[in-house]
Amino acid sequence: DSVASRGLGDVYKRQMLELSNKFLQLEIDPEGAYITSFRAGAQNIFFPRTQLDYNGTSKNRGGSHVCLPQFGAPGEFNLKSHGFGREILWQVESQTEDNLTLLANKVAGEYEELESRQSFALVDSTLEIVLSVRNNGENPLAISPAFHPYFNVAGQEEIKIDGETIDITDDKFADSVYVNSPKLVETDLFNLELEYEKLPVTVLWTDKKADYFCIEPTYNSISFSKGEGYLTLAAGESATFKYKVSVTVK
């Protein structure tokens, strides 16, 4: 990860962007439009972004980031895993106390004409994230985005997803499990209601390196590496993807 490779001190020298209301607090790093912290008071809803050691290499884990233009491996496309969205600098387009819109800097190469925005809003006890993309070029562009939140599970071995008890210590989650996007998640700390638009496939994953469990809504899982199932934006075409997390503290 480009951010991780610079070291923890360098990452946190940047000015973080903060949103809050009477229920929730959100901190966002403009590099990668990366949610570093999402809390309800003192309770972490997302496991805070942390750099963890992987056999001598530091990697960012925790928080939440966009996977843009694709989730997973790039397949035949000249991209990094999970794309470039989590690495590039995003500029503030507008900001209030509880609402933020970020515009992505252009990237060189095939996706130079992809205009990308992310908006983050705190509405009562709900976090609303909207990703909007538009192809401003003449050539079609493939996209298959996702969001990659690391939910705080505080040492639990089980959580409930849509009423079913899930053993999150099961090794199968290291290889990713694909499900229809769930609506309800229950942990020892929170009840979470999840809503989506254009994100019907969710990936359940954890490497068990810390107290997080990822519930990642995607457009169509690993469609780039499969070579099919992604969305193709024609010249001038747009698409919008929405994700909401509503929180009830126990």
Side-chain angles (χ1 to χ4, degrees), residues 1 10 22 40 57 67 93-95 97 125 130 142 148 155-156 162 195 199 203 212 215 218 225 240 249:
D1 296 355
D10 291 336
K22 63 180 180 179
T57 300
C67 301
E93 191 169 65
S94 65
Q95 183 176 8
E97 184 177 4
S125 59
V130 179
H148 198 312
Q156 294 178 238
D162 285 341
E195 297 180 49
L199 299 165
V203 182
Y212 51 70
I215 303 171
T218 78
S225 60
T240 300
V249 180

Side-chain angles (χ1 to χ4, degrees), residues 183-202:
K183 302 295 191 296
L184 300 172
V185 175
E186 182 178 348
T187 75
D188 287 350
L189 298 175
F190 307 103
N191 288 331
L192 306 170
E193 295 184 29
L194 308 178
E195 297 180 49
Y196 321 85
E197 183 176 311
K198 235 176 170 57
L199 299 165
V201 180
T202 283

